[in-house]
Amino acid sequence: MTIGAIADRMSVTRPVVYKCFADRVELIEELLQRESALVHDGLVAALHQAQGPDPEAAFITGYTAMLRFIESRPGAWRLLFSADPDPAVAANFAAAKQAVAHHSSRWIRPALESWWGKTDLDTKLPALIELFMASGEAAARTILDPESHWTPDALGEFYGRIMCQAFRAA
């Protein structure tokens, strides 16, 4: 990503872009800050939809809500999942992921205690959250893949069932 490429995409000159942003890093940081807030709020909203007495239904609802949200903002997600994030903003990516993992832990822990009476979560929860985050990223990449034929509803059901079984087995 260069200022020249951004200016070309916006059909303006580079000085116009430089009037708004000191450099490429500032522009990327501003974009990431805006998109990270939207992504975080969307993921938290999806996570909060995943509730109720039926664990499988909750997992399916959560994954489906997440995938619908991802499908609604594919550009932001492609930026977040770029294979080689700019080193100048890599810390922002890591911080956003850590915030979602932390929020997920606070939401999932009571559900696991309620649904399955899990009591040894101090040991297991970090590994389960890592699995949860990885599965969410895999599902997101699948929805974003132009060659994929999955819909958010079908993939949400697929991942929801799988992850429910994984968490139950833990």
Side-chain angles (χ1 to χ4, degrees), residues 52-87:
D54 179 358
E56 187 171 276
F59 272 92
I60 291 170
T61 298
Y63 275 90
T64 301
M66 177 193 74
L67 292 169
R68 286 178 183 164
F69 174 68
I70 290 167
E71 189 178 59
S72 76
R73 298 190 61 79
W77 287 92
R78 285 189 179 97
L79 174 65
L80 291 173
F81 287 141
S82 65
D84 187 21
D86 190 309

PDB file of all heavy atoms in Angstrom, residues 52-87:
ATOM      1  N   GLY A  52     -28.088 -19.226  25.481  1.00  0.00           N
ATOM      2  CA  GLY A  52     -29.282 -20.044  25.663  1.00  0.00           C
ATOM      3  C   GLY A  52     -28.946 -21.389  26.269  1.00  0.00           C
ATOM      4  O   GLY A  52     -27.777 -21.722  26.488  1.00  0.00           O
ATOM      5  N   PRO A  53     -29.961 -22.181  26.527  1.00  0.00           N
ATOM      6  CA  PRO A  53     -29.743 -23.461  27.209  1.00  0.00           C
ATOM      7  C   PRO A  53     -29.206 -24.574  26.305  1.00  0.00           C
ATOM      8  O   PRO A  53     -28.697 -25.570  26.797  1.00  0.00           O
ATOM      9  CB  PRO A  53     -31.137 -23.819  27.727  1.00  0.00           C
ATOM     10  CG  PRO A  53     -32.069 -23.155  26.758  1.00  0.00           C
ATOM     11  CD  PRO A  53     -31.376 -21.885  26.334  1.00  0.00           C
ATOM     12  N   ASP A  54     -29.303 -24.413  24.992  1.00  0.00           N
ATOM     13  CA  ASP A  54     -28.860 -25.447  24.052  1.00  0.00           C
ATOM     14  C   ASP A  54     -27.485 -25.069  23.494  1.00  0.00           C
ATOM     15  O   ASP A  54     -27.375 -24.163  22.661  1.00  0.00           O
ATOM     16  CB  ASP A  54     -29.871 -25.579  22.915  1.00  0.00           C
ATOM     17  CG  ASP A  54     -29.478 -26.622  21.876  1.00  0.00           C
ATOM     18  OD1 ASP A  54     -28.403 -27.241  21.996  1.00  0.00           O
ATOM     19  OD2 ASP A  54     -30.261 -26.809  20.934  1.00  0.00           O
ATOM     20  N   PRO A  55     -26.419 -25.744  23.933  1.00  0.00           N
ATOM     21  CA  PRO A  55     -25.072 -25.368  23.499  1.00  0.00           C
ATOM     22  C   PRO A  55     -24.890 -25.410  21.983  1.00  0.00           C
ATOM     23  O   PRO A  55     -24.292 -24.501  21.411  1.00  0.00           O
ATOM     24  CB  PRO A  55     -24.165 -26.389  24.181  1.00  0.00           C
ATOM     25  CG  PRO A  55     -24.970 -26.998  25.252  1.00  0.00           C
ATOM     26  CD  PRO A  55     -26.409 -26.850  24.874  1.00  0.00           C
ATOM     27  N   GLU A  56     -25.383 -26.454  21.334  1.00  0.00           N
ATOM     28  CA  GLU A  56     -25.171 -26.547  19.889  1.00  0.00           C
ATOM     29  C   GLU A  56     -25.857 -25.400  19.166  1.00  0.00           C
ATOM     30  O   GLU A  56     -25.285 -24.789  18.266  1.00  0.00           O
ATOM     31  CB  GLU A  56     -25.672 -27.893  19.355  1.00  0.00           C
ATOM     32  CG  GLU A  56     -25.315 -28.089  17.892  1.00  0.00           C
ATOM     33  CD  GLU A  56     -25.601 -29.492  17.418  1.00  0.00           C
ATOM     34  OE1 GLU A  56     -24.741 -30.369  17.630  1.00  0.00           O
ATOM     35  OE2 GLU A  56     -26.689 -29.705  16.840  1.00  0.00           O
ATOM     36  N   ALA A  57     -27.071 -25.087  19.556  1.00  0.00           N
ATOM     37  CA  ALA A  57     -27.785 -23.963  18.939  1.00  0.00           C
ATOM     38  C   ALA A  57     -27.029 -22.656  19.181  1.00  0.00           C
ATOM     39  O   ALA A  57     -26.944 -21.800  18.289  1.00  0.00           O
ATOM     40  CB  ALA A  57     -29.205 -23.870  19.482  1.00  0.00           C
ATOM     41  N   ALA A  58     -26.468 -22.496  20.370  1.00  0.00           N
ATOM     42  CA  ALA A  58     -25.722 -21.282  20.677  1.00  0.00           C
ATOM     43  C   ALA A  58     -24.465 -21.173  19.814  1.00  0.00           C
ATOM     44  O   ALA A  58     -24.159 -20.099  19.284  1.00  0.00           O
ATOM     45  CB  ALA A  58     -25.356 -21.254  22.157  1.00  0.00           C
ATOM     46  N   PHE A  59     -23.726 -22.272  19.669  1.00  0.00           N
ATOM     47  CA  PHE A  59     -22.536 -22.249  18.823  1.00  0.00           C
ATOM     48  C   PHE A  59     -22.914 -21.940  17.372  1.00  0.00           C
ATOM     49  O   PHE A  59     -22.263 -21.131  16.714  1.00  0.00           O
ATOM     50  CB  PHE A  59     -21.786 -23.584  18.893  1.00  0.00           C
ATOM     51  CG  PHE A  59     -20.780 -23.664  20.003  1.00  0.00           C
ATOM     52  CD1 PHE A  59     -21.131 -24.171  21.246  1.00  0.00           C
ATOM     53  CD2 PHE A  59     -19.474 -23.244  19.817  1.00  0.00           C
ATOM     54  CE1 PHE A  59     -20.210 -24.255  22.276  1.00  0.00           C
ATOM     55  CE2 PHE A  59     -18.537 -23.328  20.835  1.00  0.00           C
ATOM     56  CZ  PHE A  59     -18.903 -23.830  22.080  1.00  0.00           C
ATOM     57  N   ILE A  60     -23.955 -22.578  16.873  1.00  0.00           N
ATOM     58  CA  ILE A  60     -24.389 -22.336  15.492  1.00  0.00           C
ATOM     59  C   ILE A  60     -24.810 -20.885  15.310  1.00  0.00           C
ATOM     60  O   ILE A  60     -24.419 -20.227  14.342  1.00  0.00           O
ATOM     61  CB  ILE A  60     -25.520 -23.316  15.100  1.00  0.00           C
ATOM     62  CG1 ILE A  60     -24.959 -24.733  14.991  1.00  0.00           C
ATOM     63  CG2 ILE A  60     -26.186 -22.880  13.798  1.00  0.00           C
ATOM     64  CD1 ILE A  60     -26.028 -25.820  14.854  1.00  0.00           C
ATOM     65  N   THR A  61     -25.587 -20.368  16.249  1.00  0.00           N
ATOM     66  CA  THR A  61     -26.032 -18.978  16.170  1.00  0.00           C
ATOM     67  C   THR A  61     -24.842 -18.026  16.171  1.00  0.00           C
ATOM     68  O   THR A  61     -24.793 -17.078  15.382  1.00  0.00           O
ATOM     69  CB  THR A  61     -26.974 -18.650  17.349  1.00  0.00           C
ATOM     70  OG1 THR A  61     -28.131 -19.483  17.246  1.00  0.00           O
ATOM     71  CG2 THR A  61     -27.394 -17.187  17.345  1.00  0.00           C
ATOM     72  N   GLY A  62     -23.877 -18.277  17.046  1.00  0.00           N
ATOM     73  CA  GLY A  62     -22.704 -17.404  17.126  1.00  0.00           C
ATOM     74  C   GLY A  62     -21.864 -17.422  15.864  1.00  0.00           C
ATOM     75  O   GLY A  62     -21.479 -16.363  15.344  1.00  0.00           O
ATOM     76  N   TYR A  63     -21.569 -18.615  15.374  1.00  0.00           N
ATOM     77  CA  TYR A  63     -20.758 -18.698  14.153  1.00  0.00           C
ATOM     78  C   TYR A  63     -21.501 -18.098  12.962  1.00  0.00           C
ATOM     79  O   TYR A  63     -20.906 -17.401  12.139  1.00  0.00           O
ATOM     80  CB  TYR A  63     -20.350 -20.145  13.851  1.00  0.00           C
ATOM     81  CG  TYR A  63     -19.103 -20.567  14.585  1.00  0.00           C
ATOM     82  CD1 TYR A  63     -19.179 -21.148  15.848  1.00  0.00           C
ATOM     83  CD2 TYR A  63     -17.849 -20.375  14.032  1.00  0.00           C
ATOM     84  CE1 TYR A  63     -18.044 -21.517  16.538  1.00  0.00           C
ATOM     85  CE2 TYR A  63     -16.699 -20.747  14.711  1.00  0.00           C
ATOM     86  CZ  TYR A  63     -16.804 -21.304  15.967  1.00  0.00           C
ATOM     87  OH  TYR A  63     -15.670 -21.660  16.658  1.00  0.00           O
ATOM     88  N   THR A  64     -22.794 -18.353  12.864  1.00  0.00           N
ATOM     89  CA  THR A  64     -23.571 -17.803  11.753  1.00  0.00           C
ATOM     90  C   THR A  64     -23.598 -16.281  11.811  1.00  0.00           C
ATOM     91  O   THR A  64     -23.390 -15.611  10.789  1.00  0.00           O
ATOM     92  CB  THR A  64     -25.000 -18.379  11.760  1.00  0.00           C
ATOM     93  OG1 THR A  64     -24.917 -19.799  11.647  1.00  0.00           O
ATOM     94  CG2 THR A  64     -25.824 -17.831  10.611  1.00  0.00           C
ATOM     95  N   ALA A  65     -23.817 -15.720  12.989  1.00  0.00           N
ATOM     96  CA  ALA A  65     -23.828 -14.260  13.138  1.00  0.00           C
ATOM     97  C   ALA A  65     -22.465 -13.679  12.772  1.00  0.00           C
ATOM     98  O   ALA A  65     -22.382 -12.653  12.080  1.00  0.00           O
ATOM     99  CB  ALA A  65     -24.215 -13.881  14.562  1.00  0.00           C
ATOM    100  N   MET A  66     -21.401 -14.330  13.216  1.00  0.00           N
ATOM    101  CA  MET A  66     -20.058 -13.861  12.894  1.00  0.00           C
ATOM    102  C   MET A  66     -19.827 -13.877  11.383  1.00  0.00           C
ATOM    103  O   MET A  66     -19.334 -12.908  10.803  1.00  0.00           O
ATOM    104  CB  MET A  66     -19.004 -14.735  13.585  1.00  0.00           C
ATOM    105  CG  MET A  66     -17.576 -14.349  13.225  1.00  0.00           C
ATOM    106  SD  MET A  66     -16.340 -15.576  13.710  1.00  0.00           S
ATOM    107  CE  MET A  66     -16.605 -16.866  12.497  1.00  0.00           C
ATOM    108  N   LEU A  67     -20.206 -14.969  10.726  1.00  0.00           N
ATOM    109  CA  LEU A  67     -19.963 -15.093   9.285  1.00  0.00           C
ATOM    110  C   LEU A  67     -20.822 -14.129   8.476  1.00  0.00           C
ATOM    111  O   LEU A  67     -20.369 -13.602   7.451  1.00  0.00           O
ATOM    112  CB  LEU A  67     -20.174 -16.539   8.845  1.00  0.00           C
ATOM    113  CG  LEU A  67     -19.120 -17.503   9.403  1.00  0.00           C
ATOM    114  CD1 LEU A  67     -19.533 -18.952   9.162  1.00  0.00           C
ATOM    115  CD2 LEU A  67     -17.739 -17.216   8.820  1.00  0.00           C
ATOM    116  N   ARG A  68     -22.031 -13.865   8.928  1.00  0.00           N
ATOM    117  CA  ARG A  68     -22.856 -12.856   8.252  1.00  0.00           C
ATOM    118  C   ARG A  68     -22.210 -11.483   8.362  1.00  0.00           C
ATOM    119  O   ARG A  68     -22.201 -10.706   7.408  1.00  0.00           O
ATOM    120  CB  ARG A  68     -24.257 -12.822   8.857  1.00  0.00           C
ATOM    121  CG  ARG A  68     -25.119 -13.995   8.462  1.00  0.00           C
ATOM    122  CD  ARG A  68     -26.461 -13.910   9.141  1.00  0.00           C
ATOM    123  NE  ARG A  68     -27.294 -15.067   8.824  1.00  0.00           N
ATOM    124  CZ  ARG A  68     -28.373 -15.387   9.506  1.00  0.00           C
ATOM    125  NH1 ARG A  68     -28.771 -14.660  10.546  1.00  0.00           N
ATOM    126  NH2 ARG A  68     -29.082 -16.457   9.157  1.00  0.00           N
ATOM    127  N   PHE A  69     -21.680 -11.185   9.545  1.00  0.00           N
ATOM    128  CA  PHE A  69     -21.004  -9.908   9.742  1.00  0.00           C
ATOM    129  C   PHE A  69     -19.768  -9.811   8.845  1.00  0.00           C
ATOM    130  O   PHE A  69     -19.527  -8.788   8.209  1.00  0.00           O
ATOM    131  CB  PHE A  69     -20.630  -9.735  11.217  1.00  0.00           C
ATOM    132  CG  PHE A  69     -19.799  -8.509  11.470  1.00  0.00           C
ATOM    133  CD1 PHE A  69     -20.340  -7.244  11.326  1.00  0.00           C
ATOM    134  CD2 PHE A  69     -18.465  -8.626  11.821  1.00  0.00           C
ATOM    135  CE1 PHE A  69     -19.570  -6.113  11.540  1.00  0.00           C
ATOM    136  CE2 PHE A  69     -17.689  -7.502  12.047  1.00  0.00           C
ATOM    137  CZ  PHE A  69     -18.241  -6.239  11.900  1.00  0.00           C
ATOM    138  N   ILE A  70     -18.989 -10.865   8.782  1.00  0.00           N
ATOM    139  CA  ILE A  70     -17.787 -10.870   7.944  1.00  0.00           C
ATOM    140  C   ILE A  70     -18.160 -10.673   6.480  1.00  0.00           C
ATOM    141  O   ILE A  70     -17.534  -9.893   5.769  1.00  0.00           O
ATOM    142  CB  ILE A  70     -16.989 -12.174   8.155  1.00  0.00           C
ATOM    143  CG1 ILE A  70     -16.365 -12.161   9.550  1.00  0.00           C
ATOM    144  CG2 ILE A  70     -15.931 -12.366   7.074  1.00  0.00           C
ATOM    145  CD1 ILE A  70     -15.821 -13.493  10.006  1.00  0.00           C
ATOM    146  N   GLU A  71     -19.198 -11.357   6.056  1.00  0.00           N
ATOM    147  CA  GLU A  71     -19.631 -11.225   4.658  1.00  0.00           C
ATOM    148  C   GLU A  71     -20.102  -9.799   4.347  1.00  0.00           C
ATOM    149  O   GLU A  71     -19.985  -9.335   3.213  1.00  0.00           O
ATOM    150  CB  GLU A  71     -20.748 -12.234   4.360  1.00  0.00           C
ATOM    151  CG  GLU A  71     -21.101 -12.304   2.890  1.00  0.00           C
ATOM    152  CD  GLU A  71     -22.171 -13.332   2.609  1.00  0.00           C
ATOM    153  OE1 GLU A  71     -23.279 -13.223   3.182  1.00  0.00           O
ATOM    154  OE2 GLU A  71     -21.894 -14.257   1.820  1.00  0.00           O
ATOM    155  N   SER A  72     -20.590  -9.090   5.351  1.00  0.00           N
ATOM    156  CA  SER A  72     -21.066  -7.723   5.130  1.00  0.00           C
ATOM    157  C   SER A  72     -19.935  -6.709   4.995  1.00  0.00           C
ATOM    158  O   SER A  72     -20.150  -5.603   4.514  1.00  0.00           O
ATOM    159  CB  SER A  72     -22.004  -7.298   6.265  1.00  0.00           C
ATOM    160  OG  SER A  72     -21.270  -6.989   7.445  1.00  0.00           O
ATOM    161  N   ARG A  73     -18.726  -7.055   5.430  1.00  0.00           N
ATOM    162  CA  ARG A  73     -17.573  -6.154   5.375  1.00  0.00           C
ATOM    163  C   ARG A  73     -16.334  -6.892   4.868  1.00  0.00           C
ATOM    164  O   ARG A  73     -15.317  -6.956   5.556  1.00  0.00           O
ATOM    165  CB  ARG A  73     -17.290  -5.566   6.753  1.00  0.00           C
ATOM    166  CG  ARG A  73     -18.432  -4.716   7.306  1.00  0.00           C
ATOM    167  CD  ARG A  73     -18.057  -3.961   8.529  1.00  0.00           C
ATOM    168  NE  ARG A  73     -16.972  -3.017   8.325  1.00  0.00           N
ATOM    169  CZ  ARG A  73     -17.101  -1.821   7.758  1.00  0.00           C
ATOM    170  NH1 ARG A  73     -18.273  -1.427   7.321  1.00  0.00           N
ATOM    171  NH2 ARG A  73     -16.074  -1.027   7.638  1.00  0.00           N
ATOM    172  N   PRO A  74     -16.387  -7.459   3.677  1.00  0.00           N
ATOM    173  CA  PRO A  74     -15.269  -8.290   3.219  1.00  0.00           C
ATOM    174  C   PRO A  74     -13.950  -7.535   3.083  1.00  0.00           C
ATOM    175  O   PRO A  74     -12.888  -8.088   3.360  1.00  0.00           O
ATOM    176  CB  PRO A  74     -15.741  -8.831   1.869  1.00  0.00           C
ATOM    177  CG  PRO A  74     -16.789  -7.868   1.413  1.00  0.00           C
ATOM    178  CD  PRO A  74     -17.445  -7.357   2.664  1.00  0.00           C
ATOM    179  N   GLY A  75     -13.994  -6.279   2.695  1.00  0.00           N
ATOM    180  CA  GLY A  75     -12.753  -5.518   2.532  1.00  0.00           C
ATOM    181  C   GLY A  75     -11.993  -5.369   3.836  1.00  0.00           C
ATOM    182  O   GLY A  75     -10.769  -5.535   3.873  1.00  0.00           O
ATOM    183  N   ALA A  76     -12.708  -5.074   4.911  1.00  0.00           N
ATOM    184  CA  ALA A  76     -12.063  -4.922   6.220  1.00  0.00           C
ATOM    185  C   ALA A  76     -11.428  -6.235   6.653  1.00  0.00           C
ATOM    186  O   ALA A  76     -10.310  -6.264   7.171  1.00  0.00           O
ATOM    187  CB  ALA A  76     -13.082  -4.463   7.257  1.00  0.00           C
ATOM    188  N   TRP A  77     -12.133  -7.326   6.424  1.00  0.00           N
ATOM    189  CA  TRP A  77     -11.618  -8.630   6.848  1.00  0.00           C
ATOM    190  C   TRP A  77     -10.445  -9.075   6.007  1.00  0.00           C
ATOM    191  O   TRP A  77      -9.514  -9.682   6.513  1.00  0.00           O
ATOM    192  CB  TRP A  77     -12.744  -9.660   6.840  1.00  0.00           C
ATOM    193  CG  TRP A  77     -13.649  -9.393   7.986  1.00  0.00           C
ATOM    194  CD1 TRP A  77     -14.772  -8.607   7.988  1.00  0.00           C
ATOM    195  CD2 TRP A  77     -13.477  -9.845   9.322  1.00  0.00           C
ATOM    196  NE1 TRP A  77     -15.296  -8.559   9.245  1.00  0.00           N
ATOM    197  CE2 TRP A  77     -14.528  -9.316  10.079  1.00  0.00           C
ATOM    198  CE3 TRP A  77     -12.530 -10.654   9.944  1.00  0.00           C
ATOM    199  CZ2 TRP A  77     -14.664  -9.572  11.440  1.00  0.00           C
ATOM    200  CZ3 TRP A  77     -12.672 -10.913  11.289  1.00  0.00           C
ATOM    201  CH2 TRP A  77     -13.732 -10.369  12.023  1.00  0.00           C
ATOM    202  N   ARG A  78     -10.479  -8.778   4.723  1.00  0.00           N
ATOM    203  CA  ARG A  78      -9.328  -9.136   3.887  1.00  0.00           C
ATOM    204  C   ARG A  78      -8.094  -8.362   4.346  1.00  0.00           C
ATOM    205  O   ARG A  78      -6.984  -8.894   4.346  1.00  0.00           O
ATOM    206  CB  ARG A  78      -9.639  -8.884   2.419  1.00  0.00           C
ATOM    207  CG  ARG A  78     -10.564  -9.941   1.853  1.00  0.00           C
ATOM    208  CD  ARG A  78     -10.725  -9.847   0.339  1.00  0.00           C
ATOM    209  NE  ARG A  78     -11.594 -10.896  -0.109  1.00  0.00           N
ATOM    210  CZ  ARG A  78     -12.894 -10.751  -0.345  1.00  0.00           C
ATOM    211  NH1 ARG A  78     -13.466  -9.567  -0.201  1.00  0.00           N
ATOM    212  NH2 ARG A  78     -13.630 -11.769  -0.738  1.00  0.00           N
ATOM    213  N   LEU A  79      -8.289  -7.110   4.735  1.00  0.00           N
ATOM    214  CA  LEU A  79      -7.180  -6.324   5.261  1.00  0.00           C
ATOM    215  C   LEU A  79      -6.645  -6.958   6.545  1.00  0.00           C
ATOM    216  O   LEU A  79      -5.442  -7.126   6.716  1.00  0.00           O
ATOM    217  CB  LEU A  79      -7.641  -4.891   5.539  1.00  0.00           C
ATOM    218  CG  LEU A  79      -6.630  -3.976   6.226  1.00  0.00           C
ATOM    219  CD1 LEU A  79      -5.424  -3.742   5.323  1.00  0.00           C
ATOM    220  CD2 LEU A  79      -7.288  -2.662   6.590  1.00  0.00           C
ATOM    221  N   LEU A  80      -7.538  -7.349   7.438  1.00  0.00           N
ATOM    222  CA  LEU A  80      -7.116  -7.947   8.702  1.00  0.00           C
ATOM    223  C   LEU A  80      -6.421  -9.285   8.508  1.00  0.00           C
ATOM    224  O   LEU A  80      -5.526  -9.637   9.262  1.00  0.00           O
ATOM    225  CB  LEU A  80      -8.314  -8.122   9.631  1.00  0.00           C
ATOM    226  CG  LEU A  80      -8.911  -6.828  10.169  1.00  0.00           C
ATOM    227  CD1 LEU A  80     -10.185  -7.116  10.942  1.00  0.00           C
ATOM    228  CD2 LEU A  80      -7.909  -6.093  11.035  1.00  0.00           C
ATOM    229  N   PHE A  81      -6.847 -10.045   7.502  1.00  0.00           N
ATOM    230  CA  PHE A  81      -6.289 -11.373   7.281  1.00  0.00           C
ATOM    231  C   PHE A  81      -5.203 -11.392   6.216  1.00  0.00           C
ATOM    232  O   PHE A  81      -4.824 -12.465   5.760  1.00  0.00           O
ATOM    233  CB  PHE A  81      -7.381 -12.355   6.879  1.00  0.00           C
ATOM    234  CG  PHE A  81      -8.281 -12.744   8.005  1.00  0.00           C
ATOM    235  CD1 PHE A  81      -9.635 -12.890   7.793  1.00  0.00           C
ATOM    236  CD2 PHE A  81      -7.793 -12.982   9.274  1.00  0.00           C
ATOM    237  CE1 PHE A  81     -10.475 -13.262   8.821  1.00  0.00           C
ATOM    238  CE2 PHE A  81      -8.622 -13.341  10.309  1.00  0.00           C
ATOM    239  CZ  PHE A  81      -9.968 -13.493  10.082  1.00  0.00           C
ATOM    240  N   SER A  82      -4.710 -10.219   5.826  1.00  0.00           N
ATOM    241  CA  SER A  82      -3.678 -10.222   4.795  1.00  0.00           C
ATOM    242  C   SER A  82      -2.513 -11.086   5.272  1.00  0.00           C
ATOM    243  O   SER A  82      -2.141 -11.087   6.436  1.00  0.00           O
ATOM    244  CB  SER A  82      -3.218  -8.792   4.486  1.00  0.00           C
ATOM    245  OG  SER A  82      -2.586  -8.223   5.605  1.00  0.00           O
ATOM    246  N   ALA A  83      -1.969 -11.845   4.366  1.00  0.00           N
ATOM    247  CA  ALA A  83      -0.938 -12.827   4.706  1.00  0.00           C
ATOM    248  C   ALA A  83       0.326 -12.169   5.252  1.00  0.00           C
ATOM    249  O   ALA A  83       1.041 -12.755   6.041  1.00  0.00           O
ATOM    250  CB  ALA A  83      -0.603 -13.666   3.477  1.00  0.00           C
ATOM    251  N   ASP A  84       0.596 -10.941   4.844  1.00  0.00           N
ATOM    252  CA  ASP A  84       1.832 -10.278   5.241  1.00  0.00           C
ATOM    253  C   ASP A  84       1.506  -8.859   5.697  1.00  0.00           C
ATOM    254  O   ASP A  84       1.721  -7.904   4.959  1.00  0.00           O
ATOM    255  CB  ASP A  84       2.787 -10.248   4.047  1.00  0.00           C
ATOM    256  CG  ASP A  84       4.157  -9.738   4.420  1.00  0.00           C
ATOM    257  OD1 ASP A  84       4.515  -9.779   5.617  1.00  0.00           O
ATOM    258  OD2 ASP A  84       4.868  -9.283   3.508  1.00  0.00           O
ATOM    259  N   PRO A  85       0.979  -8.712   6.942  1.00  0.00           N
ATOM    260  CA  PRO A  85       0.623  -7.364   7.381  1.00  0.00           C
ATOM    261  C   PRO A  85       1.842  -6.453   7.450  1.00  0.00           C
ATOM    262  O   PRO A  85       2.948  -6.899   7.735  1.00  0.00           O
ATOM    263  CB  PRO A  85       0.016  -7.575   8.765  1.00  0.00           C
ATOM    264  CG  PRO A  85       0.474  -8.906   9.204  1.00  0.00           C
ATOM    265  CD  PRO A  85       0.762  -9.710   7.966  1.00  0.00           C
ATOM    266  N   ASP A  86       1.625  -5.220   7.160  1.00  0.00           N
ATOM    267  CA  ASP A  86       2.687  -4.228   7.192  1.00  0.00           C
ATOM    268  C   ASP A  86       3.325  -4.220   8.578  1.00  0.00           C
ATOM    269  O   ASP A  86       2.628  -4.129   9.583  1.00  0.00           O
ATOM    270  CB  ASP A  86       2.062  -2.862   6.877  1.00  0.00           C
ATOM    271  CG  ASP A  86       3.103  -1.789   6.654  1.00  0.00           C
ATOM    272  OD1 ASP A  86       3.996  -1.637   7.506  1.00  0.00           O
ATOM    273  OD2 ASP A  86       3.007  -1.111   5.626  1.00  0.00           O
ATOM    274  N   PRO A  87       4.655  -4.328   8.660  1.00  0.00           N
ATOM    275  CA  PRO A  87       5.316  -4.345   9.972  1.00  0.00           C
ATOM    276  C   PRO A  87       4.989  -3.122  10.817  1.00  0.00           C
ATOM    277  O   PRO A  87       4.972  -3.191  12.038  1.00  0.00           O
ATOM    278  CB  PRO A  87       6.807  -4.383   9.637  1.00  0.00           C
ATOM    279  CG  PRO A  87       6.880  -4.905   8.253  1.00  0.00           C
ATOM    280  CD  PRO A  87       5.608  -4.487   7.564  1.00  0.00           C
TER     281      PRO A  87
END
